[in-house]
Amino acid sequence: MDRKVAFITGITGQDGSYLAELLLSKGYKVFGMVRRASVDKYERISHIMDKIELIQGDLLDQYSLISALKKAQPTEVYNLAAQSFVPTSWAQPVLTSEFTAIGVTRMLESIRLVDPKIRFYQASSSEMYGKVLEVPQSEATPFYPRSPYGVAKAYGHYITVNYRESYNLFAVSGILFNHESPRRGLEFVTRKVTDGVARIKLGLSKELRLGNLDAQRDWGFAGDYVEAMWLMLQQDTPDDYVIATGETRTVKELVQIAFDHAGMDWEKHVKLDPAFIRPAEVDLLIGDPAKAKNKLGWAPKVSFEQMIRMMVDSDVARLSA
Ligand code: NAP
Ligand code: G4F
């Protein structure tokens, strides 16, 4: 039987936790890279801690990547680690580039050195499309990033393509549109809204302060999207894929669905706050997942409404406990 060993950077994040669950269910030995912190950040993976193996490492430290790969001897590497919050990328643009851009080169160089047969997945992003040059966005749509994060992801994308073409690595890039879940970080807008709705419902808060309600996003469920990551690494040839639902919603629609589900009127609670307006906005994202559908056989299973309701219910349950 073929050896199936995965090494996941960013295993403590939203996607890392869902991907680890998926790979365990497929019989993989799963290693996760974690960076040292003064307190543990294993909340999202606490339920599978006895089934995975954690190795310390940091995208800033090339030697730590090399020694982690030597230890794990993976057949597949999923590079999910990044500074992933767009507003922070204006506050910390250099650090964002070090993690989210140059960190990809460090990982690719480490693979080249340790074992060039390792299959590599890079977590690219629809933020690369930024001020979109085409609607909907496909693998052929040119990039026009609008944040230091988007610029860093575009670098990570192209260096992955370049290592595939220069060194014949099995290196692929998944251009994933926004995907959410009850495990989403509290600062991202979907979770901020569902957590805010739950707090208001339970009398813990009265209002929810938000920025641009007109921005449009193609939002899917993270559990569906990690399946696409895995599928990309099982193909005969490496290639890049857009992963999206093909539908877009405004932030306002998100807010309406979440408040409706809790039986409340959003207009009584939502306040606009200029502090959450960005220096440059991505107004509209809508992906064309046709290639993923045709070549990977991938399609999203959870609808936007189902996902937002699931997130509201989960936050109400968490805050009621
Ligand atoms: P997330 O929840 O923010 O998780 C990010 C992970 O990266 C965390 O495990 C974090 O570890 C780790 N990390 C950050 N800096 C690191 C460093 N220097 N060295 C090692 N690990 C580091 O992100 P996510 O939503 O799961 O997204 C996963 C990846 O997909 C990211 O690359 C993101 O940019 C990309 N992406 C996400 C979406 C989306 O909608 N979710 C869409 C497109 C692309 P700590 O726990 O130590 O902080
Ligand atoms: O939830 P967001 O912070 O996600 P954003 O910026 O689209 O980035 C996410 O998706 C990318 C894929 O396209 C990933 F690569 C990236 O790592 C991250 O996961 O904001 C979504 C929209 C924005 O237009 C923002 O201006 O919501 C708008 N928004 C309005 N009020 C808000 C708020 N966003 C946040 N975070 N907080 C608000 O109060």
Side-chain angles (χ1 to χ4, degrees), residues 9 14 26 34 49 70 85 113 116 123 128 134-135 149-150 162 225 230 247 258 291 294:
T9 74
Q14 171 189 255
K26 291 184 182 297
V34 290
M49 283 293 273
K70 282 187 173 165
F85 189 48
L113 193 81
M128 301 186 302
E134 195 175 34
V135 178
Y149 168 82
N162 180 260
Y225 284 40
W230 175 76
E247 290 175 17
K291 182 174 169 184
N294 296 334

Side-chain angles (χ1 to χ4, degrees), residues 56-112:
Q56 273 197 9
D58 196 304
L59 286 179
L60 297 181
D61 185 335
Q62 176 93 47
Y63 183 76
S64 74
L65 302 181
I66 293 169
S67 68
L69 290 183
K70 282 187 173 165
K71 184 165 183 208
Q73 297 183 26
T75 52
E76 298 172 10
V77 167
Y78 295 85
N79 186 39
L80 309 186
Q83 190 303 95
S84 74
F85 189 48
V86 172
T88 297
S89 76
W90 278 286
Q92 300 183 344
V94 175
L95 191 63
T96 298
S97 310
E98 285 288 353
F99 286 5
T100 305
I102 308 296
V104 187
T105 310
R106 289 193 193 96
M107 186 51 84
L108 286 163
E109 274 295 288
S110 305
I111 287 175
R112 219 160 67 77

Side-chain angles (χ1 to χ4, degrees), residues 14 82-87 90 123-128 147 149 153 176-180 184 186-193 208-219 251 254 273 275-278 280-283 285:
Q14 171 189 255
Q83 190 303 95
S84 74
F85 189 48
V86 172
W90 278 286
S124 284
S125 164
S126 50
E127 270 289 305
M128 301 186 302
S147 63
Y149 168 82
K153 279 288 176 186
L176 271 54
F177 283 61
N178 299 50
H179 46 279
E180 320 293 315
R184 185 58 141 154
L186 282 163
E187 69 274 46
F188 297 91
V189 76
T190 52
R191 187 73 197 289
K192 184 175 170 180
V193 168
L208 174 62
R209 304 187 83 82
L210 293 172
N212 180 9
L213 299 188
D214 298 322
Q216 291 172 268
R217 290 290 183 278
D218 180 331
W219 277 295
V251 174
L254 149 70
D273 187 338
F276 299 108
I277 301 288
R278 299 177 178 186
E281 178 61 286
V282 172
D283 295 318
L285 289 175

